Amino acid sequence: MKLLGILKRRRRALALAAAASLLAGGLATVGTTAASADAAHRGTTITSTGLRPGQIKHVWLIILENKSYDATFTGLNQNSYLWKTLPSQGVLLKNYYGTGHYSMDNYISMVSGQGPQQDTQSDCNVVDSQFGSDRSIVRSGANAGQVKSLANAAQTSGANAPDGQNGCTYPHKTPTLFNQLDAAGKTWKGYAQDLGNQPGREDAVCGGPGTSDNDPATNPTYMTPTADHPAPSGVTSFTGAQANDQYVAKHFPFPWFEGMTGTKTAHGTVPALTKPVQGGNDCDAAHIANLDSAQNGLFRDLQDERTTPAFSWITPNNCSDAHDAVCKGNNLSGSFTASGQPVYQHGTPAPESTTPKNHTGGLYASDLFLKYYIPMIERSAAFKDGGLIDVTFDEANPPFTYSGNSFNNANAYGPTLSDRPDKSSGLVSDRAGENLYGRNVATEPTGPNSTLGTDSAGNQLYPGPGDNAFIDRPPACTQTSPTKVPANCVPGIVRGGSGNTPGARTDTVAASAASSYVLDQSIVADDTGRGVTDTVDKTGPGGTSPIPADTFVGAVSDTGPQYPSTSSGSVVNGSFQLLDASGDPVTPTGPVSSLTLSAEGAPGFLSTGQTADPLYDATDATPGGGDTGSVLISPLIKPGTVSTTYYNHYSWLRTMEDVFQVGRGRDHDRIPGGTVSDGVDGRGHLGFAGQPGLAPFGRDVFNNASSWRR
């Protein structure tokens, strides 16, 4: 309780500091707002990036999945290319934050500035229907430009509606960065690895889930198939990888906006919000392409600066983006020479045509992807002429260094030895972060759709805008009805689990009467102290459990990587010791194949079982998407530099808008809260990228801009 009080006071202090800086900054800029807006209309981009207009001509954004800064940049994993090589070529952003959990809400915020809502927080895992409407776009105030969910009297939709009730695809007049680029006369393309591999899986417009007949308005895709809505033949999952197709639409932002895809109405089809500068439409083959397509892929486009888009979005598949610990398909491990050089075949490279050496995923697989494609970009004329490569992550998942596909245990690894969930520094790991009026703040706007409902005592009813990901809520705090949480909803001693689930789980294991150690590929360091029971295996004439009562998880060990030759293998050799309440080893009385780990630690067992998760606070919604870190490489950046300024996905969007001077666009179709090119603030910034005082990447990032010449 003492620790919780400290954390609450720290949060209040941060909030007060942020408020003070906002007030001071707001007073300082009142006199310049109108002038700035007028300047934007005249074609002058107002920016603090330190760049001259046109210095950056080409951007490549590569977005990876679900890793914290600690997991990526501390040496815990086999990813030295991203951990060491790339930062030595550019700048490492040590405090770059996601904006939510779990994935899709981050992609939405990056390209549109829209805040979180439950269906995108949950990766659109129910049905892809329309979200909100053009009429529900907020027209003024702090949430200007945000699409508001359509609440109704039956409470089947709205900010606090259950997952699947609000929809995932944003209405026609919700502009994106790509609409802005169209309006500003800039070329762009979205590349996705494996796009189109399985017929019927991502054939909807712009790489959307389902067949070509699927449409959010008239024929929505059921992301979790039902008897009435079965999956197309050959499709085993829309939201996870399958062996022949590891693409997932939730990691590709283009199909989720009717301003990109167009929309169907009772009166016919309304076209997309904008038209590309080179003709065609925003979802044609010139704008949405398989990464390795011989006709429209990245390698082909890089052969000439004139065919290289000004902005390139690159989505690796669910293996190459570090998402899956074990890859269901090719991880590109067979696409390198014995000396580690990428194999670029004659013609268009086809790395997935090679036979992989193993199926290891995680950061090991993302390193292979980056080692293959980044040199391809760097040797192009377009990169040498004002190019910028940005490697980032959607969210820090999990926020700590303890992870099923981390190859070392933070407990036993020097640089992260003190980074434990029960330390006060844990709050830093998963908070929000951005820079307002020159000050780093641990906050971000939540928007009108965040799940922030509380009971009469102020206790949370829902997961909050950060989805309470990886933060343990005691069983007493689990929602029991739409309007009630038990009165004793206070921090408890739950270990493991996530969201508002109690945290108990059952692992497949191997143990015997010969040792107190258990092989368990799912065990992670913060399971230490959880109770262990076996209700599956029986031993002796009486059929009793081979695990004595009051047995607990002791020391945990995860070593690796192992290199599984099939997708059913394991990349980590996980084990733990069985202990009793006094900390003495416990040996099973017979073979053990299954163990259930309790939701709670045990009173009296060491210190871990009695320690509440310090991130849990019944009256305070979980913040942000965690610190992921990011690396940027460009002739305009000094190699080997580091920035500690707080940035997030809204900062990134604001940077792209300023880099490409979207405020100079000539498409002024009026949209509530702004125009396509002008944004909500009249200066080219969409959604929460238009927050007053929000800093884009500045001179700490583009630190070689003043001296760089062609």
Side-chain angles (χ1 to χ4, degrees):
M1 295 300 294
K2 181 179 179 180
L3 177 58
L4 185 61
I6 293 172
L7 290 174
K8 286 184 175 180
R9 288 194 295 273
R10 186 175 298 173
R11 282 181 176 176
R12 293 191 193 102
L14 288 170
L16 289 172
S21 67
L22 284 170
L23 178 61
L27 292 174
T29 56
V30 165
T32 63
T33 301
S36 299
D38 290 342
H41 281 288
R42 292 196 303 271
T44 301
T45 298
I46 309 300
T47 176
S48 60
T49 61
L51 296 167
R52 297 190 301 275
Q55 271 192 294
I56 291 180
K57 297 180 174 66
H58 301 278
V59 173
W60 295 266
L61 184 281
I62 302 174
I63 184 162
L64 305 176
E65 273 283 312
N66 296 13
K67 295 294 176 291
S68 66
Y69 177 88
D70 286 339
T72 305
F73 297 104
T74 61
L76 279 171
N77 297 284
Q78 297 286 325
N79 66 312
S80 59
Y81 188 73
L82 176 53
W83 169 38
K84 287 186 175 181
T85 303
L86 294 183
S88 73
Q89 297 178 9
V91 60
L92 172 63
L93 308 186
K94 296 186 70 173
N95 295 303
Y96 183 93
Y97 291 86
T99 47
H101 291 300
Y102 287 97
S103 283
M104 187 176 165
D105 50 342
N106 289 280
Y107 291 80
I108 296 296
S109 67
M110 284 188 78
V111 302
S112 68
Q114 295 291 319
Q117 54 102 348
Q118 185 58 53
D119 284 21
T120 57
Q121 283 181 195
S122 301
D123 291 342
C124 196
N125 61 348
V126 179
V127 60
D128 175 21
S129 55
Q130 293 172 306
F131 170 71
S133 71
D134 287 342
R135 292 183 178 180
S136 71
I137 298 174
V138 179
R139 296 173 179 272
S140 61
N143 289 325
Q146 296 290 307
V147 180
K148 189 174 182 179
S149 58
L150 298 172
N152 57 38
Q155 295 185 344
T156 56
S157 62
N160 294 319
D163 179 23
Q165 298 299 309
N166 275 317
C168 311
T169 297
Y170 284 73
H172 183 259
K173 289 191 174 182
T174 310
T176 68
L177 172 64
F178 311 107
N179 297 117
Q180 291 177 301
L181 294 172
D182 287 344
K186 305 294 184 181
T187 58
W188 59 268
K189 183 177 282 190
Y191 302 94
Q193 191 181 19
D194 284 3
L195 179 64
N197 279 15
Q198 170 61 53
R201 189 168 180 268
E202 53 258 9
D203 293 340
V205 65
C206 252
T211 69
S212 57
D213 294 329
N214 286 109
D215 179 271
T218 61
N219 184 31
T221 300
Y222 282 76
M223 307 297 286
T224 301
T226 66
D228 293 333
H229 302 281
S233 177
V235 176
T236 60
S237 174
F238 286 119
T239 57
Q242 53 188 69
N244 66 329
D245 185 357
Q246 299 182 97
Y247 166 88
V248 287
K250 65 183 180 181
H251 297 164
F252 202 51
F254 304 91
W256 307 103
F257 295 91
E258 291 178 344
M260 298 288 296
T261 64
T263 184
K264 293 180 180 179
T265 71
H267 305 289
T269 300
V270 179
L273 200 58
T274 53
K275 293 183 178 180
V277 64
Q278 71 269 50
N281 64 73
D282 286 333
C283 294
D284 61 23
H287 295 90
I288 304 296
N290 183 297
L291 179 67
D292 296 318
S293 168
Q295 292 76 37
N296 301 294
L298 178 66
F299 181 82
R300 179 262 184 193
D301 291 345
L302 290 172
Q303 299 313 300
D304 192 307
E305 187 168 1
R306 293 170 297 181
T307 61
T308 303
F311 179 86
S312 297
W313 177 287
I314 300 174
T315 291
N317 64 30
N318 236 35
C319 165
S320 295
D321 65 5
H323 186 283
D324 291 351
V326 182
C327 296
K328 295 188 182 301
N330 199 321
N331 67 354
L332 309 189
S333 55
S335 303
F336 295 83
T337 66
S339 61
Q341 298 302 308
V343 176
Y344 300 140
Q345 301 95 330
H346 295 294
T348 302
E352 291 192 74
S353 67
T354 61
T355 301
K357 296 178 180 178
N358 58 69
H359 283 259
T360 304
L363 287 162
Y364 169 86
S366 67
D367 245 28
L368 293 173
F369 181 90
L370 298 172
K371 286 164 66 175
Y372 193 90
Y373 289 98
I374 285 185
M376 184 189 297
I377 297 170
E378 289 179 328
R379 66 183 60 181
S380 70
F383 174 75
K384 296 172 184 176
D385 183 21
L388 172 66
I389 299 170
D390 185 355
V391 181
T392 194
F393 291 82
D394 69 325
E395 59 168 324
N397 173 333
F400 312 110
T401 55
Y402 311 94
S403 158
N405 54 6
S406 283
F407 303 128
N408 289 291
N409 236 313
N411 280 16
Y413 187 72
T416 57
L417 189 61
S418 62
D419 294 339
R420 301 169 184 266
D422 58 352
K423 296 290 184 179
S424 60
S425 61
L427 180 62
V428 177
S429 299
D430 198 44
R431 67 184 179 190
E434 56 187 18
N435 189 280
L436 296 177
Y437 295 111
R439 173 173 290 189
N440 291 334
V441 298
T443 58
E444 68 181 32
T446 57
N449 307 303
S450 290
T451 47
L452 293 172
T454 61
D455 66 7
S456 59
N459 298 312
Q460 297 174 51
L461 293 169
Y462 305 98
D467 218 22
N468 268 348
F470 317 104
I471 294 179
D472 302 329
R473 293 165 65 94
C477 295
T478 302
Q479 180 182 348
T480 56
S481 75
T483 59
K484 183 179 180 181
V485 163
N488 62 341
C489 184
V490 295
I493 53 177
V494 178
R495 309 296 300 168
S498 63
N500 56 3
T501 61
R505 75 167 193 268
T506 299
D507 294 353
T508 299
V509 304
S512 71
S515 171
S516 63
Y517 286 90
V518 177
L519 295 178
D520 182 353
Q521 308 304 347
S522 301
I523 201 73
V524 292
D526 58 341
D527 289 329
T528 304
R530 296 175 71 175
V532 175
T533 56
D534 184 354
T535 60
V536 174
D537 306 297
K538 305 297 180 182
T539 185
T544 59
S545 170
I547 299 296
D550 296 326
T551 298
F552 307 94
V553 177
V556 171
S557 174
D558 289 323
T559 59
Q562 297 183 117
Y563 297 100
S565 58
T566 68
S567 60
S568 61
S570 175
V571 296
V572 175
N573 183 19
S575 66
F576 66 91
Q577 189 175 29
L578 296 169
L579 300 178
D580 63 19
S582 299
D584 296 324
V586 171
T587 301
T589 59
V592 178
S593 65
S594 177
L595 287 177
T596 297
L597 277 62
S598 72
E600 299 185 8
F605 176 68
L606 305 179
S607 61
T608 55
Q610 301 177 46
T611 305
D613 186 337
L615 291 180
Y616 176 72
D617 181 346
T619 61
D620 193 357
T622 308
D627 184 3
T628 71
S630 186
V631 176
L632 291 90
I633 304 166
S634 172
L636 300 157
I637 296 172
K638 295 177 182 177
T641 55
V642 172
S643 168
T644 57
T645 303
Y646 285 15
Y647 295 119
N648 64 5
H649 293 329
Y650 301 130
S651 313
W652 178 88
L653 175 57
R654 191 180 184 104
T655 303
M656 294 300 106
E657 292 166 331
D658 287 351
V659 161
F660 289 110
Q661 297 183 278
V662 297
R664 298 181 63 182
R666 293 294 178 262
D667 189 327
H668 293 289
D669 179 27
R670 178 58 57 181
I671 293 175
T675 67
V676 171
S677 53
D678 284 351
V680 299
D681 60 354
R683 299 170 65 184
H685 305 126
L686 299 179
F688 288 139
Q691 295 173 72
L694 179 68
F697 299 167
R699 290 174 173 83
D700 57 319
V701 176
F702 302 114
N703 49 31
N704 199 38
S706 61
S707 61
W708 183 77
R709 298 288 186 274
R710 282 186 58 181

